[in-house]
Amino acid sequence: MRGYERLAEILGAEDVLNYIKELENKVKEAIENDKAIEIDPDFERKIRDRLKELIERRFDENSLNVLKSLAVLDLPIDAEVASKIYDLSALNDFIDLGLIEKRNGYLIVDETLKDLIQENVEDYHRKALEYYSNFEETLDVMTEKAYHHLMLKEYDRAFDYFIKSANQIYGRHRCVEKLIFVGEKLIGKVKEDDRLLGTLGNLYMVLKKYREAEHYYRKVMEMYDENDDRYLGVLLNIANLRYVRGDYKEAEELLKNCVSLAMDRNEEIVEKALLMLSSLYLDLNDYENAEKCLMDVLRMIYSRKDEDSLKRVAEIVNNLGYVYSRSKNYEKAERFYKEALRIYNDLNDVKGVTTALNNLCSIYVTTQNYEKAKEIIDAIERVGDMPPDLKAKYYFLKAKVLERDDPKSALELYVKAGALGFLIFRNFGINAVNYMHSLDKAEEIAKRLNLKELAGDVFVLKSAIAKVYFGIRRNIADVECGERGKAILNALKGYDTSVEVRDEVDSAFFVILQDLKASSQ
């Protein structure tokens, strides 16, 4: 509603502003008197129709056509590239009114205006494809190409980009919903329906919409005979679905069935099913069966001598170390982590080395062997750059090591671990570290050190995460905090605020501000 209100103010639409005010008063009165809210169910259409009418009157046809053509572009609009395809001089009136903002070489179109004027016109989609042809084929760009080819009824091209894009998704991403839209529109329009439906199932799994995912998996399964290896792949997907949904008994039966059907027929499926079973048993604290499954996999791949197989051996040995760590057999866990580290070092696998070092460090921290933990931290730092998930774990472990003797440094690292862990969870759905626990520790130390503004910033960050992503409301109106915390507090009040991004912590605040802004449109 706020977006409609802002647009009405710019266009001088007093009737729309009065109508919105009247609606707000009715809602407020109903809440205060604990009555049912009685408003026109068609109110949004009326507001939209009136604003569209005013837009058509206010701006000339050429300006509107250029803007409508740009409105089908879903990614930030690169002004330099767009100027080669669109007559950007026609947009000056929109820019003067603040409906289009120029920022760092990009054109930012008001989201409400963009939503109101979008039209499905062939020329707009052709120009969009011409525009996107100037960029590297990233996941975002390929998703956009899939969508615009779909709109042009170029179904084979749309399918190609749909598959290419979907194959690059490893966790929650803003492209997923749009790819699902494209995929479902392609059903019955391409030859490889089985591949299309299976991919849709995978995308719904990313969104944790398990009913929809299973619907598509079952449809694919109906296309295959039980003796077809592709049938086993779909069966494994359904087993995984049941597992992540928490239906352990059903998942266990399906996975055992996978192993039985694939034995002596498809070793890859057997390995995947056994690894999934080991994770399932680990979740149930059944360490004996978890160990047995991993040992079965290890025996299957140990005889192979190629580099890829050696890497797989290191991964399984590392996983066994985790099983022993979970069962509190720390001496055995240490031995297996060291063996994984040795193999990773032989393979010059930097990520593997960092993973094994992090796991060793976690054992020493758990057993309060801080001298060895410090040695491992030094070794991790010598490795150099590491991927975000391992960096978040490294921050957390180093904070644990430093907490007793250097609480201020530990505080900084806990904040970084929490912020980076949150960003990884938000963007990919991966729990690299317990980011809320990290932030709790940071707030606790900040209070102990009387760093009130930092403690306030962390509290605001935690509260905003709880509100925006989990729907948990907390009263955070009167909190003493720094500039980053104040930016979120102002955003919650409806103000357009931002923060300068210099590190992971700033990035966490920035992302939340962007998501708050998007949710208020």
Side-chain angles (χ1 to χ4, degrees):
M1 194 65 76
R2 194 172 292 137
Y4 293 138
E5 194 172 2
R6 178 177 180 272
L7 190 55
E9 285 172 356
I10 291 171
L11 297 172
E14 290 297 326
D15 56 338
V16 175
L17 289 170
N18 290 334
Y19 185 48
I20 291 172
K21 188 68 176 173
E22 181 186 329
L23 289 171
E24 288 174 346
N25 287 336
K26 283 184 177 180
V27 171
K28 185 179 178 183
E29 183 182 343
I31 292 171
E32 287 174 352
N33 296 311
D34 197 23
K35 292 181 177 178
I37 299 172
E38 295 181 4
I39 56 175
D40 183 351
D42 219 18
F43 75 90
E44 188 170 11
R45 183 192 59 78
K46 289 179 179 178
I47 292 172
R48 290 174 66 86
D49 286 349
R50 176 61 176 148
L51 289 173
K52 282 181 186 178
E53 180 188 341
L54 292 169
I55 290 166
E56 296 287 345
R57 286 185 190 176
R58 179 71 178 264
F59 303 102
D60 65 78
E61 186 178 351
N62 181 51
S63 298
L64 274 174
N65 279 337
V66 174
L67 187 61
K68 286 177 181 178
S69 191
L70 285 169
V72 302
L73 301 177
D74 232 13
L75 300 180
I77 301 166
D78 185 307
E80 184 179 349
V81 175
S83 67
K84 301 172 186 175
I85 300 160
Y86 306 93
D87 178 15
L88 299 187
S89 64
L91 303 177
N92 289 337
D93 284 348
F94 296 102
I95 293 169
D96 291 343
L97 288 168
L99 291 170
I100 297 178
E101 181 185 350
K102 285 184 173 180
R103 189 191 304 164
N104 299 325
Y106 289 91
L107 299 176
I108 313 297
V109 182
D110 180 272
E111 286 295 329
T112 307
L113 174 64
K114 189 175 172 179
D115 178 55
L116 283 169
I117 65 169
Q118 268 198 36
E119 292 180 2
N120 183 21
V121 175
E122 181 178 331
D123 182 57
Y124 299 164
H125 296 296
R126 293 237 174 264
K127 282 188 173 177
L129 287 169
E130 184 183 352
Y131 169 80
Y132 285 123
S133 70
N134 290 277
F135 299 95
E136 180 186 350
E137 287 197 334
T138 61
L139 173 56
D140 290 291
V141 169
M142 288 195 296
T143 299
E144 288 305 300
K145 287 184 174 182
Y147 171 75
H148 292 294
H149 280 301
L150 171 72
M151 292 296 102
L152 291 167
K153 299 183 179 179
E154 296 170 352
Y155 300 128
D156 287 343
R157 297 295 304 279
F159 177 69
D160 286 344
Y161 278 112
F162 167 79
I163 293 295
K164 284 181 186 176
S165 302
N167 286 342
Q168 287 192 19
I169 288 178
Y170 303 103
R172 183 94 192 205
H173 192 282
R174 64 178 180 170
C175 290
V176 175
E177 285 88 347
K178 194 159 195 174
L179 283 171
I180 286 174
F181 172 84
V182 172
E184 291 185 331
K185 293 292 182 185
L186 287 173
I187 293 173
K189 296 182 176 68
V190 294
K191 292 177 183 176
E192 296 181 78
D193 246 6
D194 56 343
R195 197 174 174 198
L196 172 64
L197 297 174
T199 304
L200 279 167
N202 295 341
L203 292 171
Y204 273 116
M205 281 293 292
V206 172
L207 297 182
K208 298 183 179 178
K209 293 187 175 181
Y210 304 126
R211 184 175 61 80
E212 292 87 346
E214 183 160 357
H215 165 74
Y216 283 115
Y217 288 150
R218 293 287 180 189
K219 286 180 80 71
V220 178
M221 187 175 271
E222 290 169 7
M223 299 179 180
Y224 301 140
D225 183 85
E226 194 174 293
N227 295 317
D228 191 325
D229 279 359
R230 292 174 298 178
Y231 176 91
L232 295 176
V234 182
L235 185 62
L236 191 65
N237 284 341
I238 294 173
N240 178 56
L241 183 152
R242 295 301 172 91
Y243 168 48
V244 297
R245 201 171 65 181
D247 299 333
Y248 292 122
K249 186 169 179 157
E250 290 181 46
E252 183 184 14
E253 288 174 3
L254 288 168
L255 288 167
K256 285 180 175 178
N257 192 25
C258 267
V259 172
S260 175
L261 290 171
M263 194 64 71
D264 302 323
R265 178 172 138 194
N266 190 316
E267 197 170 85
E268 183 183 354
I269 294 288
V270 174
E271 284 183 23
K272 287 180 178 178
L274 286 171
L275 287 173
M276 207 179 295
L277 270 170
S278 73
S279 296
L280 183 151
Y281 290 132
L282 199 56
D283 286 353
L284 296 173
N285 298 325
D286 184 351
Y287 306 120
E288 185 179 343
N289 272 319
E291 178 189 24
K292 182 180 180 302
C293 289
L294 288 173
M295 284 296 187
D296 286 345
V297 174
L298 193 58
R299 277 189 287 271
M300 290 172 67
I301 61 177
Y302 198 73
S303 59
R304 305 173 202 159
K305 299 299 180 186
D306 58 284
E307 188 171 307
D308 285 343
S309 295
L310 281 174
K311 185 175 179 180
R312 295 282 291 121
V313 167
E315 289 169 358
I316 302 304
V317 170
N318 185 73
N319 289 349
L320 280 162
Y322 182 65
V323 170
Y324 300 133
S325 177
R326 279 281 303 274
S327 62
K328 296 184 170 51
N329 188 343
Y330 299 119
E331 185 180 336
K332 200 166 185 180
E334 182 183 12
R335 286 207 315 272
F336 274 74
Y337 283 146
K338 283 183 175 178
E339 176 61 14
L341 178 61
R342 183 192 66 76
I343 301 171
Y344 283 131
N345 272 318
D346 288 347
L347 295 171
N348 293 315
D349 185 331
V350 175
K351 183 177 179 181
V353 167
T354 311
T355 299
L357 287 170
N358 265 317
N359 290 336
L360 270 173
C361 189
S362 68
I363 286 178
Y364 298 140
V365 168
T366 301
T367 56
Q368 298 185 1
N369 190 341
Y370 293 112
E371 286 306 312
K372 279 196 173 182
K374 284 177 183 176
E375 291 175 13
I376 297 295
I377 289 292
D378 291 341
I380 293 171
E381 289 170 351
R382 287 195 296 272
V383 171
D385 289 339
M386 59 188 90
D389 58 331
L390 295 180
K391 185 180 282 188
K393 190 172 182 181
Y394 154 74
Y395 284 150
F396 180 78
L397 290 170
K398 188 172 182 181
K400 293 284 284 185
V401 171
L402 296 178
E403 189 174 341
R404 289 187 308 166
D405 301 326
D406 189 358
K408 195 167 184 180
S409 295
L411 164 60
E412 181 184 342
L413 288 163
Y414 275 130
V415 177
K416 284 185 174 182
L420 185 54
F422 155 69
L423 289 169
I424 294 166
F425 177 78
R426 174 196 176 272
N427 294 335
F428 305 106
I430 298 169
N431 285 304
V433 294
N434 186 334
Y435 61 88
M436 274 299 187
H437 174 63
S438 297
L439 295 174
D440 284 340
K441 293 288 291 183
E443 185 183 3
E444 172 196 317
I445 296 171
K447 286 178 177 176
R448 197 165 71 231
L449 298 177
N450 203 31
L451 298 171
K452 294 180 181 177
E453 287 194 354
L454 181 53
D457 278 353
V458 175
F459 175 75
V460 170
L461 178 61
K462 291 194 307 177
S463 301
I465 290 170
K467 178 184 186 299
V468 177
Y469 306 99
F470 301 99
I472 302 169
R473 297 182 178 275
R474 293 178 181 172
N475 180 20
I476 56 173
D478 301 313
V479 178
E480 183 179 349
C481 56
E483 292 304 312
R484 293 180 296 204
K486 287 174 183 173
I488 284 183
L489 292 177
N490 287 329
L492 288 167
K493 294 172 185 174
Y495 299 113
D496 187 9
T497 60
S498 189
V499 293
E500 182 183 353
V501 177
R502 295 155 298 191
D503 58 20
E504 301 98 329
V505 182
D506 292 330
S507 294
F509 280 89
F510 178 81
V511 162
I512 290 171
L513 287 170
Q514 294 301 108
D515 289 346
L516 275 170
K517 184 176 179 180
S519 67
S520 68
Q521 293 290 337

